[in-house]
Amino acid sequence: MLDDAERAYKKAILLEAKFTRAYDGLADVYAKKGDAGKSIQAMQDAISKSPRNASRQTKLGKVLLEQGMVKEAKAAFESAVKTEPSNMSMQSEIAESFLAKDMDDEAVVLFQSVLRATPKDVHVYNRLGIAYRKQGKFQEAIEEYKKALTVDPGDENLYYNLGRAYMEAKKIAETIAQFNKALEIYPDFKEAREILDKIRNLK
């Protein structure tokens, strides 16, 4: 099946060299075959034919990042952002890719950019807080979770993450207070209860 699809896409490209969707399809076929090099080349060929497609540039960046080609991935992501600078959803998506690869500095920059445009996005505050925690910047993480809670004070996960940040900052009283708030909202919050039990057993 994959070989048939590969032949069909190649034939389509021979008939119409600017048929970018054929390059996209070919990239997907190569990815399924486990040939990252050819998949990347097909995506780059598509971009050369249609350089103003931010979604395609983002997809290329993700594949490059997975292959450890960090410099090239950053270049693809930068092109995507330049192409659609107001696409905050895309910037969040790229930030998540960086965060997953422990490229926390890059993730922080993009999450901050998104929040300047969408200052009531609770999810992004939460993700920025996680990025700060991974950097060991616990006070900064605490501030982001607090900002998120001003937007949505009824989110038990925010109290839990705030509690985690306090715990990592070794502020035990504040940790307990936040986990208790999470449990007030959601009494079956297993993770919060387990951590509270561990803290109490240490006393």
Side-chain angles (χ1 to χ4, degrees):
M1 291 290 290
L2 289 176
D3 289 340
D4 290 341
E6 181 181 350
R7 283 191 290 271
Y9 287 129
K10 284 181 175 179
K11 183 177 180 180
I13 290 167
L14 285 173
L15 293 171
E16 177 50 71
K18 293 184 179 181
F19 186 22
T20 54
R21 288 190 179 181
Y23 290 103
D24 292 335
L26 199 55
D28 289 339
V29 167
Y30 287 137
K32 289 174 183 176
K33 285 186 170 185
D35 194 332
K38 285 186 177 180
S39 181
I40 289 168
Q41 184 59 59
M43 281 188 276
Q44 289 173 331
D45 289 341
I47 289 169
S48 71
K49 308 297 181 187
S50 178
R52 300 291 297 170
N53 188 308
S55 176
R56 190 176 286 123
Q57 292 162 341
T58 300
K59 183 177 180 180
L60 173 61
K62 288 182 176 181
V63 174
L64 290 166
L65 201 59
E66 285 297 325
Q67 295 301 310
M69 301 169 71
V70 175
K71 182 179 179 180
E72 295 85 350
K74 284 184 176 181
F77 288 143
E78 286 171 7
S79 293
V81 173
K82 286 179 182 177
T83 300
E84 292 187 18
S86 61
N87 189 335
M88 295 301 111
S89 176
M90 182 187 69
Q91 288 193 38
S92 289
E93 183 181 348
I94 295 170
E96 292 289 354
S97 295
F98 283 136
L99 194 62
K101 290 296 181 181
D102 295 325
M103 297 174 66
D104 305 320
D105 292 346
E106 290 82 356
V108 164
V109 169
L110 281 172
F111 283 137
Q112 288 174 333
S113 173
V114 173
L115 285 170
R116 282 193 291 272
T118 57
K120 292 188 180 296
D121 194 323
V122 171
H123 175 74
V124 178
Y125 279 120
N126 189 41
R127 301 305 288 172
L128 178 56
I130 290 170
Y132 277 136
R133 278 172 50 205
K134 289 178 67 180
Q135 290 178 316
K137 296 179 179 179
F138 305 124
Q139 189 56 46
E140 287 88 341
I142 288 165
E143 293 306 316
E144 297 307 321
Y145 293 133
K146 285 182 176 179
K147 290 175 187 175
L149 283 166
T150 64
V151 179
D152 185 1
D155 188 331
E156 70 275 11
N157 291 300
L158 290 174
Y159 287 110
Y160 174 77
N161 283 338
L162 179 56
R164 288 288 301 269
Y166 276 126
M167 183 170 64
E168 288 160 350
K170 303 188 185 306
K171 297 182 178 181
I172 302 305
E174 292 89 342
T175 299
I176 292 170
Q178 300 310 316
F179 285 149
N180 279 330
K181 287 180 181 177
L183 287 165
E184 286 174 14
I185 297 169
Y186 180 47
D188 294 328
F189 202 144
K190 180 181 176 182
E191 292 83 359
R193 192 169 297 282
E194 286 177 349
I195 293 175
L196 272 179
D197 288 343
K198 287 179 182 178
I199 292 172
R200 287 164 180 156
N201 289 335
L202 290 173
K203 289 184 176 181

